[in-house]
């Protein structure tokens, strides 16, 4: 950070005083007023005031007052000296939740807050009492806000944004809140996404995408909700990725060195966490009753989704210009900060006094916090104060801000809506299942119809055959019986005629005995009549039998007719099924057409890939160059459109269409442009960790080293050195680079190069090699250290940062080797003359250079044999400064421990009368 006070970027490691934990907000506590006689009046319950920042609606909100906690920072090293003879200006009574502000030795004012946190309260305690109730409300579907307000240097960023990398107990509210959120949500059905912004001089900037530095605020005209559609929204699935985003955002946040704070925030940081949860037990019940051809959808109810938004606001510290010593651009930043905080204070005053007008639009900060004060969000405010009596005025202003904020009432409202997209997805899945089930049933039904039809036809044929045979048998039987009866009657008639003829002859011959003949004739006639009657009876019986046979035939014919009607009904059902089948076949043909189109497109792509491979095989560099250009442009376009997955897809496309071997072969092409494009493609591939092993196995490392050896073009040197730097991040690759003379080639390249970017790539590659314990002696012997020191002639900060990183890595490995007993004697760095440059740059304004130099000094000082040279070279004074003033606590602790453990340093400090 610039010592002059100019604005710079954070490097992610903040230096804040350690604050230590203790009581939850009482969920049923009521607004507390100050015990002073001149305390502000309590506001009435605000249900739907038009003046509220959030424009709360009257549709079932739950009242909830803004909760305010006060946290006291312990005295820092400066205050321990300057205020040694003075008592703290505040006295805390945490058990009574009271704070006494001393005006002088005999008079003080008393204030009450929802929670009073002493300087010994831990980060966990602060999170539980300030933030955890808000986080739980967000998980239940409400909006929530956690905000820190106070004078600069009182611990706001420590309270909210501490990452806790050195000590997990130091984790701030942001990190702990995300841990609780990820523990509660289900990543299968729920989603968590974040945006990280800063409000810098009335300009909203994206901390995750620094190029996006002018984001506009959009307000919903109906609901009044505020959104930032231009901000990056990153989905979070793991705590580690969230911490990395915070580290990235903190590195881009503006900060400056002032008299009140060596790393003072110059912007308001705003973290927005969007939580989307599906309600358990309220999923749509989509059931179907499949029986025959019926499909019944009983219930179609979309699932309910709750959307909560957590806003964590780390306000820039309020400051007085005469105390902070701001000037130049830092003064303009201070004015902008004070104006936005003043606008926020005016809004809080208006809300506390139930004013009809709240000046929300005076600042972008108040517009962003519409929902937090007087709106629909659950809000917790932590005000941070210092104990120094020199800042009594700022402390009083902070306390009064918190007292007024306690008067503000919000109307909490749950954010619920129907998840129609989820319902649509479920319906699509159910539709696919129903279509598949329908097709299965259709096939089964067709088979069943075929079986029934065949069985019916067989039964009809068999019945017709049986009926025909039965009719024929009956006909033959009746015909036979009839003929036999007729023949019998004819025989009897002939017999009777013969008898009658004989009697007539006798009557004519014997006329005398007429009475006897008459008597005989009458007896014969009676006998004939009996025979005729018997014949008539037999004929009637035959007629009845024939009538019964005809009735049986009629019954059989009616059965046949009924079977034919059943067959007709089956045929109509079959026609319906065939019509349905035709419709399904038409749909199938349409899908097959779509598949054919996709196959043709796939064949076209395959043809283009084969054509590209053919051109590579026959050596057409011009066409290959255009293909490579096209592929590189696809890589860049894909990375711009899909930063998460685009790179992998592009690399896969490169491998599929061209092949790594052919790309590497182009590194030896005669055409200069082809070689330039080829080495750029290899460098892009080497940036992906999954491709590095493939490149090395295919001989890519040897090809890149060959380019450094055989060509004098600086562009090729720059890109090839960048690719080697990426490959050198792997320990196995580091040994291969060294075994193939890579360090010598890099050293020669560094001597001949003039372009700062080329030197930065070469220095980065050597710096990576410096971190390998096994290669220390060989690296030094082949000129690696001298090459690093030679590149400082460039004076470009990026090159110096890589040189400093390489020296820090080398010193760390030497320190470890000395501790393990594998290294004896002075450091190679000191023998090669690196110490003067290290001491000279220990106070470099660039934070990255300064941090690595401080680490290198600490590691060199850990070996007692280096102490004499370090004392004579002025390094002792820098170690003392680092142990006291370094912004990073881990480096500060390392320097302090090293000074205490070295007898030589202890003796020299006593000689110089350094109070340590």
């Amino acid at each position: 950070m610039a010592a002059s006070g100019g604005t710079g970027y954070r490097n992610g490691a903040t230096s804040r005083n350690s604050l230590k934990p203790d009581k939850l907000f009482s969920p049923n506590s009521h607004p507390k007023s100050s015990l002073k006689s001149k305390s502000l009046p309590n506001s009435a319950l605000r249900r739907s005031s038009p003046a509220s920042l959030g424009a709360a609606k009257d549709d079932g909100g739950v009242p909830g007052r803004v909760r305010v906690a006060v946290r006291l920072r312990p005295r820092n090293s400066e205050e321990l000296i300057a205020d040694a003879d003075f008592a703290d200006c505040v006295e805390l009574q945490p058990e009574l939740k009271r704070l006494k502000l001393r005006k002088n030795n005999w008079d003080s004012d008393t204030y009450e807050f929802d929670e009073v946190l002493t300087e010994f309260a831990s980060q966990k305690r602060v999170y539980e009492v300030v933030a955890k109730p808000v986080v739980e409300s967000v998980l239940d579907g409400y909006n929530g806000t956690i905000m820190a307000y106070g004078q600069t240097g009182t611990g706001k960023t420590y309270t909210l944004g501490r990452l806790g990398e050195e000590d997990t107990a130091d984790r701030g509210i942001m990190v702990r809140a995300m841990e609780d959120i990820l523990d509660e949500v289900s990543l299968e059905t729920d989603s968590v996404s974040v945006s990280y912004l800063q409000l810098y001089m009335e300009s909203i900037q994206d901390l995750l995408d620094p190029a996006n530095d002018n984001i506009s605020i959009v307000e919903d005209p109906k609901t009044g909700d505020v959104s930032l559609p231009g901000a990056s929204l990153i989905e979070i699935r793991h705590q580690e990725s969230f911490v990395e985003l915070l580290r990235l955002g903190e590195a881009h946040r503006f900060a400056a060195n002032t008299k009140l704070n060596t790393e003072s925030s110059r912007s308001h940081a705003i973290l927005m966490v969007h939580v989307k949860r599906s309600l358990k037990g309220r999923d749509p019940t989509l059931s179907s009753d499949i029986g025959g051809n019926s499909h019944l959808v009983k219930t179609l109810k979309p699932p309910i989704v709750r959307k909560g938004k957590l806003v964590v606001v780390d306000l820039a510290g309020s400051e007085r210009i005469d105390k902070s010593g701001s000037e130049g651009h830092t003064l303009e930043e201070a004015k902008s900060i004070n104006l936005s905080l003043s606008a926020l204070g005016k809004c809080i005053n208006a809300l506390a006094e139930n004013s009809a007008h709240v000046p929300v639009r005076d600042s972008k900060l108040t517009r962003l916090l519409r929902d937090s004060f007087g709106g629909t969000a659950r809000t917790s405010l932590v005000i941070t104060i210092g104990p120094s009596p020199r800042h009594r005025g700022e402390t009083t202003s902070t306390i009064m801000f918190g007292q007024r904020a306690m008067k503000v009432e919000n109307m909490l409202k749950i954010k619920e809506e129907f998840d129609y997209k989820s319902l649509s997805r479920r319906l699509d899945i159910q539709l696919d299942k129903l279509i598949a089930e329908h097709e299965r049933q259709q096939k089964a039904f067709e088979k069943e119809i075929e079986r029934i039809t065949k069985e019916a036809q067989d039964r009809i044929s068999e019945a017709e055959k049986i009926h025909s045979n039965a009719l024929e048998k009956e006909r033959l039987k009746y015909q036979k019986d009839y003929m036999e009866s007729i023949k019998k009657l004819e025989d009897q008639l002939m017999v009777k005629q013969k008898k009658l003829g004989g009697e007539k002859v006798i009557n004519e011959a014997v006329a005398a005995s007429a009475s006897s003949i008459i008597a005989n004739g009458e007896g014969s006639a009676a006998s004939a009549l009996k025979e005729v009657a018997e014949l008539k009876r037999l004929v009637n019986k035959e007629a009845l039998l024939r009538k019964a046979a005809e009735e049986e035939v009629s019954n059989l014919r009616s059965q046949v007719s009924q079977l034919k009607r059943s067959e007709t009904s089956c045929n109509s059902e079959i026609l319906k099924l065939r019509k349905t089948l035709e419709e399904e076949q038409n749909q199938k043909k349409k899908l097959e057409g779509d598949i054919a189109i996709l196959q043709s497109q796939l064949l076209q792509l395959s043809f283009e890939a084969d054509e590209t491979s053919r051109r590579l095989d026959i050596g057409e560099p011009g066409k290959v160059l255009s293909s490579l250009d096209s592929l590189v442009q696809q890589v860049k376009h894909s990375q711009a459109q899909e930063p998460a997955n685009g790179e992998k897809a592009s690399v896969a496309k490169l491998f599929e269409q061209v092949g790594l071997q052919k790309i590497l072969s182009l590194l030896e092409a005669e055409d200069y442009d082809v070689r330039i494009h080829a080495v750029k493609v290899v460098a892009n591939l080497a940036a992906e960790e999954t491709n590095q092993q493939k490149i090395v196995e295919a001989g890519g490392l040897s090809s890149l080293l060959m380019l450094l050896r055989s060509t004098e073009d600086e562009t090729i040197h720059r890109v090839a050195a960048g690719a080697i730097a990426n490959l050198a991040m792997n320990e196995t690759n580091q040994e291969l680079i060294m075994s193939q003379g890579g360090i010598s080639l890099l050293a020669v390249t560094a001597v001949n190069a003039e372009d700062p970017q080329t030197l930065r790539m070469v220095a980065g590659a050597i710096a990576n090699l410096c971190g390998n314990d096994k290669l220390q002696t060989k690296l030094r012997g082949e000129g690696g250290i001298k090459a690093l020191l030679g590149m400082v002639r460039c004076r470009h900060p990026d090159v110096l940062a890589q040189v400093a990183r390489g020296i820090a890595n080398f010193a760390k490995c030497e320190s470890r080797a000395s501790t393990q007993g594998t290294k004896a004697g002075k450091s190679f760095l000191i023998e090669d003359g690196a110490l003067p440059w290290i001491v000279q740059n220990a106070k470099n304004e660039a934070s990255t250079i300064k941090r690595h130099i401080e680490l290198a000094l600490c590691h060199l000082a850990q070996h007692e044999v280096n102490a004499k040279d370090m004392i004579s070279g002025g390094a002792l004074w820098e170690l003392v400064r680092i142990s006291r003033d370094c912004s990073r606590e881990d480096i500060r602790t390392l320097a302090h421990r090293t000074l205490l453990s070295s007898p030589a340093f202890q003796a020299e400090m006593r000689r110089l009368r350094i109070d340590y």
Side-chain angles (χ1 to χ4, degrees):
M1 200 60 58
S4 61
T7 301
Y9 287 106
R10 296 179 184 271
N11 59 15
T14 58
S15 172
R16 307 289 182 192
N17 288 301
S18 177
L19 298 169
K20 298 216 172 237
D22 296 19
K23 272 182 191 173
L24 288 169
F25 281 173
S26 173
N28 300 319
S29 62
H30 299 281
K32 297 179 180 180
S33 60
S34 170
L35 296 182
K36 294 173 51 179
S37 60
K38 55 183 179 181
S39 62
L40 295 172
N42 287 325
S43 63
L45 186 64
R46 304 178 64 86
R47 291 193 178 272
S48 183
S49 170
S52 65
L53 280 126
K57 304 292 185 296
D58 56 357
D59 52 352
V62 178
R65 178 176 57 79
V66 175
R67 320 294 297 177
V68 182
V70 60
R71 188 181 196 187
L72 177 64
R73 169 182 60 76
R75 289 194 179 194
N76 55 33
S77 57
E78 180 185 353
E79 292 169 348
L80 288 173
I81 298 173
D83 300 333
D85 298 332
F86 300 94
D88 292 349
C89 67
V90 292
E91 177 185 347
L92 304 185
Q93 296 176 331
E95 66 282 354
L96 300 176
K97 298 183 180 180
R98 291 179 181 174
L99 176 148
K100 286 186 177 182
L101 177 64
R102 293 191 179 95
K103 296 193 290 187
N104 46 51
N105 290 335
W106 56 86
D107 189 15
S108 63
D109 295 327
T110 303
Y111 301 91
E112 287 191 6
F113 290 93
D114 293 297
E115 195 65 43
V116 174
L117 301 167
T118 68
E119 63 269 34
F120 304 108
S122 68
Q123 292 282 72
K124 179 181 179 182
R125 167 66 174 163
V126 174
Y127 171 74
E128 289 178 346
V129 301
V130 174
K132 192 166 186 177
V134 179
V135 174
E136 291 174 348
S137 296
V138 171
L139 290 170
D140 290 336
Y142 295 91
N143 287 345
T145 302
I146 304 167
M147 189 169 70
Y149 178 92
Q151 182 189 9
T152 183
T154 54
K156 298 182 297 300
T157 302
Y158 178 87
T159 299
L160 295 182
R162 186 75 169 182
L163 300 183
E165 293 174 303
E166 295 83 7
D167 187 356
T168 57
D170 286 343
R171 290 168 299 159
I173 286 176
M174 292 181 181
V175 178
R176 293 177 184 269
M178 183 55 69
E179 287 178 351
D180 281 359
I181 290 173
L182 292 177
D183 286 343
E184 289 295 326
V185 301
S186 171
L187 297 180
E188 296 178 356
T189 59
D190 306 336
S191 67
V192 180
S193 54
V194 301
S195 297
Y196 199 12
L197 315 165
Q198 69 174 350
L199 179 59
Y200 176 69
M201 298 187 72
E202 284 302 298
S203 173
I204 301 177
Q205 303 177 6
D206 196 335
L207 289 174
L208 304 181
D209 182 12
N212 190 9
D213 58 358
N214 191 16
I215 301 173
S216 58
I217 300 175
V218 177
E219 297 181 15
D220 191 321
K222 295 182 180 180
T223 63
D225 291 341
V226 175
S227 61
L228 301 169
S232 300
L233 191 63
I234 309 298
E235 184 173 358
I236 300 298
R237 301 185 68 84
H238 305 288
Q239 180 70 12
E240 294 77 11
S241 60
F242 174 69
V243 173
E244 188 62 31
L245 285 180
L246 288 183
R247 186 182 295 108
L248 174 65
E250 193 68 14
H252 293 144
R253 189 177 176 188
F254 286 102
N257 185 3
T258 68
K259 290 181 180 180
L260 296 177
N261 189 357
T262 58
E263 201 167 352
S264 175
S265 301
R266 313 310 290 168
S267 65
H268 307 299
I270 303 166
L271 176 70
M272 295 184 177
V273 183
H274 301 268
V275 181
K276 180 179 178 182
R277 303 189 71 189
S278 298
L279 291 188
K280 296 182 179 179
R282 300 284 296 276
D283 290 340
T285 56
L286 183 63
S287 60
S288 58
D289 181 17
I290 302 174
N293 301 322
S294 64
H295 298 272
L296 178 60
V297 179
K298 293 183 178 179
T299 306
L300 287 177
K301 183 177 181 182
I304 295 177
V305 174
R306 287 182 175 176
K307 294 183 178 180
K309 181 173 71 173
L310 174 64
V311 180
V312 184
V313 184
D314 180 10
L315 295 174
S318 59
E319 61 183 53
R320 293 185 180 179
I321 306 303
D322 56 342
K323 290 187 177 182
S324 64
S326 300
E327 57 185 14
H329 186 67
T330 308
L331 177 60
E332 297 300 320
E333 293 174 337
K335 291 179 180 179
S336 176
I337 292 170
N338 289 340
L339 282 175
S340 61
L341 293 177
S342 176
L344 178 61
K346 290 178 182 178
C347 291
I348 297 297
N349 290 344
L351 291 170
E353 295 170 1
N354 283 325
S355 174
H357 171 68
V358 179
V360 177
R361 297 190 175 274
D362 287 359
S363 169
K364 288 186 178 180
L365 176 63
T366 53
R367 291 180 65 190
L368 288 172
L369 297 179
R370 283 180 63 122
D371 201 38
S372 302
F373 292 96
T376 62
R378 180 184 294 277
T379 301
S380 285
L381 170 67
V382 55
I383 59 174
T384 57
I385 60 176
S388 176
R390 291 180 296 159
H391 305 305
R392 181 182 287 104
E394 290 83 349
T395 302
T396 302
S397 175
T398 301
I399 291 172
M400 297 310 296
F401 180 88
Q403 287 288 295
R404 286 188 290 269
M406 289 176 65
K407 305 295 187 288
V408 179
E409 287 282 349
N410 293 349
M411 292 298 296
L412 312 183
K413 276 196 260 179
I414 197 167
K415 308 292 182 181
E416 285 187 351
E417 63 182 33
F418 290 117
D419 189 1
Y420 290 103
K421 292 183 179 179
S422 175
L423 176 62
S424 176
R425 290 194 298 270
R426 292 173 180 268
L427 288 176
D428 288 340
I429 294 172
Q430 189 67 16
L431 180 60
D432 292 340
K433 291 182 179 179
L434 290 175
I435 291 174
E437 181 65 20
H438 174 71
E439 291 177 351
R440 186 188 65 78
Q441 290 186 355
Q442 183 73 19
K443 292 180 181 179
F445 183 72
E446 290 175 357
K447 291 181 180 179
E448 184 67 15
I449 289 298
E450 290 179 359
R451 186 187 66 78
I452 293 174
T453 302
K454 184 177 180 181
E455 184 178 343
Q457 289 176 349
D458 292 343
R459 290 177 62 186
I460 290 172
S461 299
E462 185 178 355
E464 287 179 345
K465 184 177 180 180
I466 293 173
H467 177 65
S468 177
N469 293 335
L471 285 177
E472 184 66 21
K473 287 181 181 180
E474 288 294 327
R475 187 182 68 78
L476 292 174
K477 178 182 177 183
Y478 286 125
Q479 185 176 8
K480 182 179 178 181
D481 292 343
Y482 178 76
M483 294 303 294
E484 289 177 352
S485 298
I486 293 298
K487 185 177 180 181
K488 184 177 180 180
L489 289 174
E490 287 177 351
D491 291 343
Q492 291 179 354
L493 182 61
M494 289 296 293
V495 170
K496 295 298 180 181
Q497 287 177 353
K498 287 179 180 180
K499 288 181 178 181
L500 289 174
E503 290 177 353
K504 185 177 180 181
V505 173
I506 292 171
N507 288 331
E508 290 177 353
V510 184
S513 56
S515 58
S516 178
I517 294 172
I518 291 171
N520 291 333
E522 289 177 352
S524 298
S527 178
L529 289 173
K530 288 182 180 181
E531 291 291 334
V532 170
E534 181 67 20
L535 287 173
K536 286 181 179 181
R537 188 182 64 78
L538 291 174
V539 169
N540 290 333
K541 183 178 179 182
E542 187 70 21
L544 291 174
L545 290 173
R546 185 168 183 173
K547 185 177 180 180
E550 289 176 352
E551 289 178 354
E552 184 68 20
V553 170
S554 177
N555 290 334
L556 290 173
R557 285 177 179 174
S558 65
Q559 291 178 5
V560 171
S561 173
Q562 186 175 0
L563 288 173
K564 287 182 178 181
R565 285 196 298 272
S566 176
E567 182 181 6
T568 303
S569 176
C570 291
N571 289 335
S572 64
E573 187 69 23
I574 291 172
L575 289 175
K576 291 180 181 178
L577 293 173
R578 285 177 178 172
K579 185 177 180 181
T580 304
L581 182 60
E582 288 176 357
E583 293 176 355
E584 295 291 340
Q585 289 176 344
N586 291 334
Q587 184 68 19
K588 182 179 178 181
K589 289 179 180 179
K590 183 178 178 181
L591 293 174
E592 289 175 348
D594 294 340
I595 292 173
I597 293 173
L598 293 174
Q599 288 176 341
S600 66
Q601 295 176 354
L602 180 61
L603 289 173
Q604 181 65 24
L605 289 175
S606 300
F607 173 76
E608 292 175 358
D610 294 340
E611 183 66 17
T612 303
S613 301
R614 186 185 66 78
R615 290 172 181 171
L616 285 169
D617 293 335
I618 64 177
E620 297 182 2
K623 295 181 180 179
V624 173
L625 176 60
S626 65
S627 298
L628 282 175
D629 283 336
S630 174
L631 288 173
V632 171
Q633 291 302 321
Q634 291 178 22
V635 171
K636 293 181 179 178
H637 177 70
S638 177
Q639 290 173 348
Q641 295 295 325
E642 298 179 0
N645 300 319
E647 186 173 352
K648 293 183 180 179
S650 303
V651 170
K653 189 171 183 180
L654 282 171
F655 276 42
E656 178 184 355
Q657 292 192 2
V658 178
L660 182 59
Q661 288 290 350
K662 288 187 174 61
I663 295 174
L664 293 177
S665 67
L666 294 178
L667 295 176
E668 303 176 3
E670 296 293 332
D671 191 297
Y672 172 80
D673 291 333
V674 172
R675 279 197 294 166
I676 286 289
H677 283 77
V679 74
K680 287 182 179 179
V681 171
V682 174
N684 286 332
L685 294 175
E688 182 71 18
E689 185 176 356
T690 56
N691 299 328
Q692 293 177 359
Q693 187 64 26
K694 298 177 182 177
I695 293 173
V696 173
E697 291 176 353
L701 177 59
S702 301
S703 299
L704 292 170
L705 293 173
M706 178 271 295
L707 286 177
L708 293 181
R709 182 183 297 108
S710 61
T711 183
E712 296 180 0
D713 183 80
E714 191 154 350
T715 302
I716 294 179
H717 283 179
R718 180 175 65 255
V719 182
I724 293 171
N726 287 333
L727 295 176
M729 296 175 68
N730 181 280
E731 184 175 352
T732 303
N733 295 341
Q734 291 172 355
E735 297 177 0
L736 289 174
I737 292 171
M738 294 295 294
S739 66
Q740 296 182 26
I743 193 65
S744 300
L745 291 173
L746 290 171
V748 173
T749 304
V751 171
N752 298 327
E754 295 296 332
D755 179 49
Q757 295 305 319
T758 303
L759 291 173
R760 181 173 69 87
M761 295 297 182
V762 174
I766 297 177
N768 289 339
L769 294 172
C770 285
N772 193 319
D773 295 341
K774 304 174 184 177
L775 306 177
Q776 295 285 293
T777 304
K778 188 172 183 181
L779 186 143
R780 188 245 187 161
E782 293 184 9
I785 297 176
K786 291 184 178 179
L788 276 179
L789 295 175
M791 284 184 277
V792 302
R793 70 183 187 277
C794 176
R795 297 187 179 276
H796 192 281
D798 291 341
V799 178
L800 296 182
Q802 294 299 327
V803 172
R805 184 169 70 88
I807 290 175
N809 287 344
F810 196 93
K812 183 178 181 180
C813 291
E814 275 196 330
S815 175
R816 189 159 48 233
S818 299
T819 303
Q820 295 172 353
T822 59
K823 168 77 169 62
K826 288 195 298 186
S827 168
F828 291 151
L829 293 171
I830 295 176
E831 290 181 355
D832 285 354
L835 185 60
W837 185 83
I838 295 174
V839 174
Q840 179 184 353
N841 286 270
K843 297 180 181 178
N844 196 295
E845 294 180 354
S847 60
T848 52
I849 300 175
K850 182 179 179 181
R851 183 174 72 252
H852 290 308
I853 292 298
E854 289 174 344
L855 278 172
L857 279 172
C858 291
H859 288 309
L860 287 173
Q862 286 185 317
H863 196 30
E864 187 69 16
V865 72
N866 298 327
K868 183 177 180 181
D869 293 286
M870 295 186 71
I871 291 171
S872 61
L876 175 60
W877 292 101
E878 295 302 328
L879 284 171
V880 173
R881 180 191 60 78
I882 293 170
S883 68
R884 292 174 174 174
D885 303 329
C886 181
S887 60
R888 285 189 48 169
E889 186 177 357
D890 56 339
I891 300 177
R892 195 166 62 245
T893 303
L894 180 60
H896 178 73
R897 188 170 62 244
T898 301
L899 288 173
L900 292 179
S901 62
S902 172
F905 288 144
Q906 286 290 311
E908 184 65 12
M909 286 190 292
R910 284 194 298 271
R911 188 183 70 81
L912 297 174
R913 297 183 179 179
I914 298 176
D915 185 13
Y916 194 81

